Amino acid sequence: MQTSALAALDRSHLIHPVASFREHEELGPIILKSGQGAYLTDHQDKQLLDAFSGLWCVNTGYGQQSVIRAATEQMERLPYATGYFHFASEPAILLAKKLVDISPASLKHVYFTLGGSDAVDAAIRYITHYTNSIGKPGKKHFISLQRGYHGSSSVGAGLTALPNFHFNFNLPLPTQHYLPSPYPYRSDVQGDEAIIAASVQSLRDKVAELGADNVAAFFCEPIQGSGGVVVPPKGWLKAMQLACNELDILFVVDEVITGFGRTGPMFACLDEDVQPDLMTMAKGLTAGYAPMGAVMMSDRVYNAIADGAPMSTVVGHGQTYSAHPVSAAVALEVLRLYEEGGLLENGRRLEPVFAGGLRALLDHPLVGDARSRGLLGALELVADKNTKARFAPELKLHDRIFQVAYRHGLIFRAFGDNILGFAPALCYTEADFALMFARLRAILDEVLAQPEVRQAVR
Ligand code: PLP
């Protein structure tokens, strides 16, 4: 179908996630047609270098034939098997075992979802079941971080601390609370140890304020993704785990973005020997080739839920497509590519090229901060490098950047507060990075050359 005809249908009928409905009616869709390796082609045959892995998920890159074969074979053999009651399928069982093998040792049990939001939602429901099961029904408050993102389920969106996810949705709930983000570039305190100590103290203070008997869990991302790729100091995650253990609240790590090689190891938790009570994941689990997420839990949480009701009372949480066999077959092959296929190793090998490329842009008049871990990184653009003042929202700098970037054939995330987020696929080559950074500098130069932008820079 012609691009213009498709666009008209889209404007009339397709609701887009995280978009202004009216603005989208004006702008219309950007229709993508195909992908190969790190590159996408749009409906008008324009080639684009994807520096965002779709939506931080296509960690393998596009067009991986072995993944396509795994999905096809599973579809031919058994396209669907319920996980309800006592049914199962071979790929789902093998995937559960594989995840237990490659995740932190504390995690022994897996519930499969369709993505990250419902993994967080499942975690919240299981935690509620757990606190009731252990006879502490007062433990109903949840703590997360400012700038945190935990998806958009009806309750989970309240743990997300981004205003657009609350506006007109009657969130956050009175049981949802936030701590300051461990944000080195904009922190009141200086130095890694001081930032970690401030976070731990803010958790202690919040728990004291609410009463430890009323707090169920603390949720966090090892690196805050949608909040602007906020990279806390190494050691922060472990310190938060230990504080949660001491305060007797569950420690839940949301690895939806950071999992599956995005920050180097299979999970960011493994870098610091972090042992969560629960962990959520999605995205890189299937590299976006099929929908799937998961929540993993420790023996302690699992056993309390298991013993929390009489033998014949089911734990009433489920989805038709939980443990979907095609998604599980895809995930098993994607995991093989990360390990035996060398993708994890390639990502680690190229981490210095990525980090160095970002840092080299610090000399650009627009760039105030460059930060990254593994192949997850950001540039923060500021109007004044000395005061770190942001650009006025009326300038709509992020829209300008997105448009110029698209013309230059580069896809990344331009957040509203002028943080540029990058998550290149683990299959990137040195040549892909060279092209990415050449385009990025040209994009920043072109945006800076716009008179309104030049005027706004101090
Ligand atoms: N948690 C985190 C940390 C995420 O980054 C996301 C999505 O970006 C989610 C949860 C929600 O996942 P999904 O969009 O698959 O529902």
Side-chain angles (χ1 to χ4, degrees):
M1 197 182 266
Q2 294 270 318
T3 309
S4 55
L6 274 176
L9 291 177
D10 176 285
R11 285 180 156 119
S12 301
H13 303 300
L14 188 58
I15 296 176
H16 288 252
V18 193
S20 150
F21 288 9
R22 292 286 179 237
E23 197 174 68
H24 182 77
E25 287 166 10
E26 265 178 41
L27 295 174
I30 298 161
I31 307 173
L32 300 171
K33 191 169 70 176
S34 62
Q36 189 57 43
Y39 295 84
L40 287 163
T41 304
D42 76 8
H43 210 257
Q44 286 165 318
D45 290 324
K46 182 176 175 61
Q47 216 201 32
L48 302 143
L49 174 56
D50 183 359
F52 202 60
S53 297
L55 195 71
W56 355 63
C57 56
V58 190
N59 293 1
T60 57
Y62 303 93
Q64 292 283 1
Q65 292 304 308
S66 65
V67 180
I68 297 162
R69 275 197 303 278
T72 309
E73 281 166 23
Q74 184 58 43
M75 277 200 180
E76 281 171 355
R77 197 175 317 119
L78 183 65
Y80 175 77
T82 181
Y84 266 60
F85 321 124
H86 307 288
F87 288 102
S89 69
E90 182 172 344
I93 296 168
L94 295 180
L95 182 60
K97 162 76 172 116
K98 179 73 186 166
L99 289 177
V100 169
D101 288 348
I102 62 176
S103 61
S106 56
L107 302 169
K108 298 286 187 225
H109 309 270
V110 188
Y111 174 79
F112 287 111
T113 62
L114 281 68
S117 296
D118 48 339
V120 169
D121 185 59
I124 294 168
R125 294 203 78 214
Y126 285 131
I127 290 167
T128 304
H129 200 299
Y130 166 83
T131 55
N132 287 325
S133 294
I134 60 170
K136 294 189 177 171
K139 276 185 170 283
K140 288 293 172 281
H141 288 259
F142 289 79
I143 301 171
S144 59
L145 291 172
Q146 288 165 8
R147 305 183 80 92
Y149 187 71
H150 300 288
S152 57
S153 72
S154 54
V155 177
L159 295 180
T160 289
L162 303 175
N164 288 341
F165 289 79
H166 299 169
F167 174 70
N168 271 355
F169 284 111
N170 295 352
L171 288 171
L173 301 173
T175 49
Q176 297 175 322
H177 313 270
Y178 311 119
L179 306 180
S181 164
Y183 191 172
Y185 182 57
R186 293 191 180 274
S187 178
D188 292 339
V189 292
Q190 293 304 311
D192 291 357
E193 291 309 315
I195 291 171
I196 293 171
S199 268
V200 168
Q201 193 55 48
S202 69
L203 178 65
R204 287 188 201 288
D205 292 347
K206 182 57 79 179
V207 172
E209 177 195 323
L210 297 167
D213 285 346
N214 299 323
V215 181
F218 170 66
F219 274 68
C220 66
E221 301 155 86
I223 289 172
Q224 297 189 283
S226 302
V229 191
V230 175
V231 186
K234 280 250 170 103
W236 176 86
L237 197 61
K238 184 73 187 176
M240 295 309 273
Q241 181 220 309
L242 295 175
C244 286
N245 296 160
E246 194 190 305
L247 292 163
D248 190 27
I249 63 176
L250 294 174
F251 180 64
V252 190
V253 178
D254 187 342
E255 290 242 25
V256 166
I257 287 179
T258 52
F260 306 103
R262 174 54 58 206
T263 69
M266 191 60 95
F267 295 103
C269 275
L270 298 174
D271 239 3
E272 299 179 24
D273 186 28
V274 169
Q275 303 292 333
D277 297 297
L278 295 102
M279 186 161 99
T280 49
M281 63 190 71
K283 297 195 186 273
L285 171 60
T286 50
Y289 281 64
M292 185 173 238
V295 54
M296 298 186 70
M297 62 182 78
S298 65
D299 274 336
R300 176 163 71 116
V301 174
Y302 173 87
N303 286 327
I305 295 172
D307 297 332
M311 188 66 157
S312 55
T313 303
V314 300
V315 177
H317 186 75
Q319 295 150 298
T320 301
Y321 297 129
S322 174
H324 195 284
V326 176
S327 298
V330 164
L332 283 169
E333 178 54 24
V334 164
L335 290 173
R336 200 193 63 76
L337 289 178
Y338 292 144
E339 292 179 323
E340 291 159 49
L343 285 175
L344 235 59
E345 200 185 310
N346 189 58
R348 277 197 287 256
R349 187 176 63 83
L350 290 174
E351 172 173 2
V353 177
F354 178 57
L358 289 174
R359 270 201 312 275
L361 284 161
L362 279 169
D363 68 1
H364 195 278
L366 290 173
V367 178
D369 189 32
R371 49 187 184 252
S372 64
R373 190 174 303 158
L375 297 189
L376 179 59
L379 296 177
E380 183 156 345
L381 308 189
V382 288
D384 184 328
K385 290 197 190 205
N386 291 322
T387 63
K388 302 180 183 174
R390 293 192 166 98
F391 287 94
E394 304 78 72
L395 190 62
K396 295 209 162 195
L397 187 65
H398 60 290
D399 285 345
R400 292 169 189 266
I401 290 171
F402 180 82
Q403 278 155 22
V404 174
Y406 201 82
R407 215 171 337 102
H408 282 258
L410 188 66
I411 301 259
F412 54 86
R413 181 88 166 90
F415 291 105
D417 48 6
N418 301 315
I419 296 170
L420 311 183
F422 302 91
L426 306 183
C427 68
Y428 256 53
T429 61
E430 277 95 341
D432 294 331
F433 275 117
L435 186 62
M436 172 186 153
F437 285 115
R439 286 186 181 174
L440 192 51
R441 189 172 282 277
I443 292 160
L444 293 174
D445 286 347
E446 192 176 317
V447 170
L448 181 62
Q450 295 181 4
E452 303 87 340
V453 177
R454 181 151 280 300
Q455 256 174 25
V457 176
R458 273 163 269 150

